[in-house]
Amino acid sequence: MSYLQEYQASVDDSATFWANKAAKLAWYKKPTAIISQQNGFYQWFSDGELNTSYLALDYHIEQGRGEQTALIYDSPVTQTKRRYSYTELRDEVAKFAGVLKAQGVNKGDRVVIYMPMIPEAAIAMLASARLGAVHSVVFGGFAPHELAVRIDDATPKVVVSASCGIEVNRVISYKPLLDSAIEKAQHKPDSCIIFQRPQHQATMLADRDIDWHTAMQDATPAEPVPVKSTDPLYILYTSGTTGKPKGVVRDNGGHAVALHYSMQAIYNIKPGEVFWAASDVGWVVGHSYIVYGPLLAGATSILYEGKPIFTPDAGAFWRVCAEYGVKAIFAAPTAFRAIRKEDPHADLMKQYDLSKLDTIFMAGERLDPPTYHWACEVSGKPVIDHWWQTETGWAICANLAGVELLPAKPGSATRPVPGYHVQILDENGQPLGANQQGNIAIKLPLPPGCLSTIWGNAERYTSGYLNQFPGYYSSGDGGYLDEDGYLFVMGRTDDVINVAGHRLSTGEMEEIIASHPAVAECCVIGLPDELKGQQPVGFVLLKNGITTDASIIQNELVALVRQEIGAVACFKRALVVPRLPKTRSGKILRKLLRQIGEGENYQIPSTIDDPACLPELEQLMKQHGLA
Ligand code: COA
Ligand code: AMP
């Protein structure tokens, strides 16, 4: 089957296309309603019943693959390596589901998981899924405030956490962060289950905290609970344009069908083969391609607690690929930029046998052509850039390694994945022609696996994604389709930035900076960063009468953002400026600041209030290495 045939089949008769894909899964009740609508929203497989944890574990055991490795934990930061067969992983998951059940977790209840990259994070996710509960994993690099916001929104019955995470050689104690988050949150979970790691023992609260190991000793394994296809599997919060993150809701049925299909069609992974997504379970890539995708496919997944460099060196990725016979690796371009910086000729790769490695996949941010070329040259493997978002849960555009590899074009995520009808629209929603840049939109219905709503806020789903262009999902990304239908994603059209493959909201940073008593006004923009793609930079106007040295305030602002969002925000630059460029109606001209920072030619808008501030700003930015 060629790419075009596969794609055409998905658009000509999408119900038949997806019914065929769904038929490959072992549903408890096979769906007959493939696509339907409820309250104006599309639903996939609405009368189907299944359990995602069963499909990811028990099903493979029933097929005779119980002894096959399901999960490999490789942790250079703790010098640990461990393999779980499908049977071992299922048994751990069933027991932990029993622990959750004993804490009162039932179908539909929420479980927040705030964990480092240890197998117990995946076990907790799958255990929640086993009970038909809804997990919400919070990335371990987020500060208490961020965790508190998520706890308040998801209102979990239980929080699962660990005593510490390890950042290269730094032990980060999680428990004080968790305690502080629960103190800040309005909602209080009934209990917290804490996995004590040998590197650091957490102090437990007698009336709330439960020790993971002790609870597992007495646990009664829980069986999978059938859920409706449309029942939520998880909530994953992602940055929007405001300070309040959006809880992307993923259903069970569409998710299982889409990920199962993607493992074969996009990544060309068959049961028993080894797939490695070098991400974190706190991000969508970790959900889809460390935990659910590879397990739904009966493959072997790797959970890597380390970095691309420093653990111990820039050969780490190649070592893991060789050691476990990885067939496809998936990581963010930033990781490869970091490796390239440390080891430009990939000398460290030469000691490893990479003959089993077929393909390198990248996503999470724009794959710049120099990094693309470097990765192709040093590895000699096809490098596939693919574009997707937390909201979609799987790739929107890709080169389908399991269908037909099309000629690659550097800078492009290739062509739409079957099921996605991608169009470029102008501001009025009119389709644009080839090579014309505009808003990237996806014609409704979205394929299975994409967000079904925003948790507790269907209105935000509609207003944030569906209202801008009726009949379409607005991706928030801008770009163009070329004459061959290849998509080039050029960047966000909103206030979301991408730092080291991590999605961050400049609006949220602005809210935090504005809370500083000396700040009158501010704006945060993303400026180019050689390693991390973008770095956030704050421009700050102080209140009249503030005499404190600007450098002191700048440092305080950096510390404030780190404290409120976390180190992962990478907010290291705040610049006190005498004036901010604004329109006469008072809107800060962020685009102009970005253009100055990127060294682009800019046109002074006619609406600008005080054009004289521009040369002054440009000079200041140059002085600080920001232009
Ligand atoms: N828990 C606690 N802190 C964390 C963390 C976690 N899980 N993850 C990151 N941090 C901290 C880091 O220690 C660092 O702290 P510092 O400012 O005190 O040094 C900060 O957050 C920024 O982290 P990061 O952006 O990862 O930068 P780095 O300089 O530590 O590492 C790279 C650079 C390139 C190695 C790293 O960014 C990387 O691996 N990027 C790939 C990202 C990725 O896989 N994204 C997933 C999307 S697919
Ligand atoms: P996240 O929701 O964290 O996965 O981030 C999604 C955003 O990352 C997208 O909206 C894009 O802006 C960006 N992104 C992800 N993958 C790519 C890619 N392959 N090329 C360009 N941008 C990408």
Side-chain angles (χ1 to χ4, degrees), residues 321-592:
C321 287
E323 191 164 334
Y324 304 113
V326 170
K327 184 178 179 196
I329 177 178
F330 173 177
T334 298
F336 289 94
R337 283 197 294 270
I339 296 171
R340 178 185 175 201
K341 191 164 166 236
E342 293 290 310
D343 184 21
H345 304 295
D347 291 328
L348 292 167
M349 182 198 270
K350 295 180 185 130
Q351 60 189 299
Y352 298 111
D353 173 7
L354 296 179
S355 54
K356 290 215 171 117
L357 183 65
D358 262 11
T359 322
I360 297 175
F361 289 88
M362 296 202 210
E365 58 182 315
R366 191 175 126 77
L367 171 55
D368 52 295
T371 306
Y372 168 80
H373 288 301
W374 179 83
C376 290
E377 271 160 33
V378 299
S379 70
K381 316 278 178 189
V383 172
I384 297 184
D385 177 14
H386 58 328
W387 169 62
W388 52 300
Q389 313 182 310
T390 303
E391 288 85 345
T392 63
W394 64 299
I396 309 161
C397 282
N399 208 349
L400 305 186
V403 177
E404 178 197 6
L405 269 189
L406 300 174
K409 296 192 189 190
S412 168
T414 318
R415 300 193 57 175
V417 166
Y420 288 99
H421 190 155
V422 177
Q423 289 200 359
I424 308 296
L425 304 179
D426 70 11
E427 287 309 308
N428 303 315
Q430 293 307 309
L432 289 169
N435 297 308
Q436 286 185 288
Q437 197 160 322
N439 302 286
I440 311 176
I442 306 166
K443 203 157 198 271
L444 297 175
L446 293 168
C450 298
L451 80 170
S452 51
T453 188
I454 296 295
W455 181 255
N457 200 343
E459 201 287 313
R460 197 167 177 199
Y461 175 44
T462 313
S463 62
Y465 299 100
L466 307 180
N467 282 354
Q468 190 183 4
F469 304 118
Y472 290 86
Y473 163 88
S474 320
S475 70
D477 279 308
Y480 62 93
L481 286 162
D482 77 0
E483 59 287 354
D484 298 321
Y486 279 56
L487 182 76
F488 289 76
V489 181
M490 304 310 290
R492 299 284 307 188
T493 53
D494 56 15
D495 297 333
V496 168
I497 59 169
N498 206 310
V499 181
H502 304 138
R503 177 166 157 182
L504 300 165
S505 161
T506 53
E508 179 173 17
M509 293 186 210
E510 289 177 4
E511 283 176 28
I512 293 166
I513 293 171
S515 71
H516 188 287
V519 172
E521 265 185 291
C522 68
C523 78
V524 175
I525 57 169
L527 288 182
D529 181 88
E530 227 173 66
L531 176 65
K532 300 192 177 185
Q534 285 186 299
Q535 58 161 327
V537 178
F539 294 84
V540 181
L541 204 61
L542 298 183
K543 287 179 181 157
N544 285 340
I546 299 287
T547 52
T548 318
D549 194 68
S551 65
I552 294 177
I553 294 177
Q554 286 167 182
N555 289 341
E556 284 174 3
L557 295 174
V558 166
L560 191 62
V561 174
R562 191 179 171 96
Q563 176 199 305
E564 293 294 299
I565 300 183
V568 70
C570 279
F571 183 79
K572 303 215 158 123
R573 307 295 301 271
L575 190 61
V576 170
V577 294
R579 281 177 288 182
L580 281 168
K582 285 198 206 167
T583 61
R584 278 188 286 278
S585 60
K587 194 169 173 288
I588 299 173
L589 292 158
R590 291 175 172 75
K591 186 172 167 199
L592 210 52

Side-chain angles (χ1 to χ4, degrees), residues 81-111:
K81 292 173 188 177
R82 183 170 173 193
R83 281 173 188 265
Y84 292 80
S85 67
Y86 268 94
T87 302
E88 285 166 337
L89 188 60
R90 192 272 318 266
D91 290 351
E92 290 289 295
V93 167
K95 261 202 290 175
F96 193 65
V99 171
L100 290 175
K101 203 169 163 184
Q103 292 309 311
V105 175
N106 286 309
K107 194 196 267 192
D109 290 335
R110 272 80 57 214
V111 176

Side-chain angles (χ1 to χ4, degrees), residues 26-71:
W27 299 76
Y28 294 132
K29 181 166 175 255
K30 284 210 179 303
T32 56
I34 303 304
I35 181 149
S36 48
Q37 282 201 42
Q38 195 181 27
N39 304 328
F41 296 111
Y42 287 99
Q43 298 187 318
W44 285 99
F45 317 115
S46 59
D47 61 346
E49 284 181 22
L50 74 168
N51 180 283
T52 301
S53 177
Y54 165 79
L55 291 177
L57 300 166
D58 310 60
Y59 170 74
H60 302 302
I61 299 166
E62 288 166 14
Q63 300 301 304
R65 286 203 298 277
E67 297 312 305
Q68 183 203 304
T69 304
L71 190 70

